[in-house]
Amino acid sequence: MSSPEDDRLDETRRHLLRLAAQFPDDADVAYRTACVHDRLGLEAAAVPFYERCLAGTGLSDEDRRGALLGLGSTYRVLGRYAHAVETLRRGVAEYPDDGGLQTFLAMALYNAGEHHEAMRILLDLLATTSQDPSVQQYHRAISLYAKDLDTTV
């Protein structure tokens, strides 16, 4: 049995699909359509809408970030790791201070077998964003190890 929220999301999905058909070049409509598919667990159906919105123009900066993260994450969930890494690298290049994009890139890199780079990204992010006193106490060491986790003496 579906929940009232699922019913509303499905109704929203149907409405957005009509709008997407009516306005195929509207990046905002494509983005909203991708998001509702993702929320409903319809990741494969979200992909073309994410791709469409990123190929177009008119997305706000916040929505572009969300679309890059959403598409990269969706590719990762679908097992399309190379596409996930490519998309999330593009997101990190455009928004280098976005910790969410960096985190999802690290996850995709892990799935792609790039464990060293994934750890480097996460250690850098931890060292620069954590407010935990013990992490801050070892900030310098964590930053050094992030550059080369295999370093020994």
Side-chain angles (χ1 to χ4, degrees):
M1 183 163 182
S2 64
S3 72
E5 181 183 358
D6 289 343
D7 291 344
R8 284 190 300 275
L9 283 173
D10 196 51
E11 182 181 330
T12 300
R13 183 185 69 84
R14 288 191 303 273
H15 175 70
L16 284 166
L17 284 170
R18 286 190 298 274
L19 286 174
Q22 188 176 357
F23 303 102
D25 296 327
D26 189 310
D28 190 55
V29 169
Y31 177 58
R32 304 281 172 240
T33 307
C35 290
V36 77
H37 279 88
D38 255 353
R39 291 266 323 265
L40 287 166
L42 304 170
E43 287 86 358
V47 169
F49 293 105
Y50 278 128
E51 291 172 342
R52 186 188 305 178
C53 77
L54 288 167
T57 58
L59 280 182
S60 70
D61 206 42
E62 180 181 341
D63 286 348
R64 182 162 177 81
R65 283 178 195 237
L68 287 163
L69 193 147
L71 179 58
S73 174
T74 297
Y75 280 147
R76 191 186 75 76
V77 167
L78 294 172
R80 297 172 63 183
Y81 303 133
H83 285 94
V85 169
E86 177 186 334
T87 302
L88 292 163
R89 280 192 197 282
R90 188 170 86 197
V92 169
E94 289 184 35
Y95 305 100
D97 296 329
D98 189 302
L101 282 163
Q102 292 175 40
T103 302
F104 277 84
L105 173 57
M107 288 189 285
L109 287 165
Y110 172 85
N111 292 126
E114 300 292 332
H115 304 130
H116 281 84
E117 187 176 0
M119 279 297 297
R120 181 193 58 75
I121 289 169
L122 289 177
L123 286 172
D124 275 339
L125 187 61
L126 179 68
T128 58
T129 64
S130 177
Q131 299 304 311
D132 184 291
S134 62
V135 170
Q136 288 306 306
Q137 179 181 355
Y138 295 103
H139 175 272
R140 184 170 169 216
I142 293 168
S143 294
L144 276 171
Y145 287 126
K147 290 181 180 121
D148 186 0
L149 197 56
D150 294 321
T151 297
T152 60
V153 282

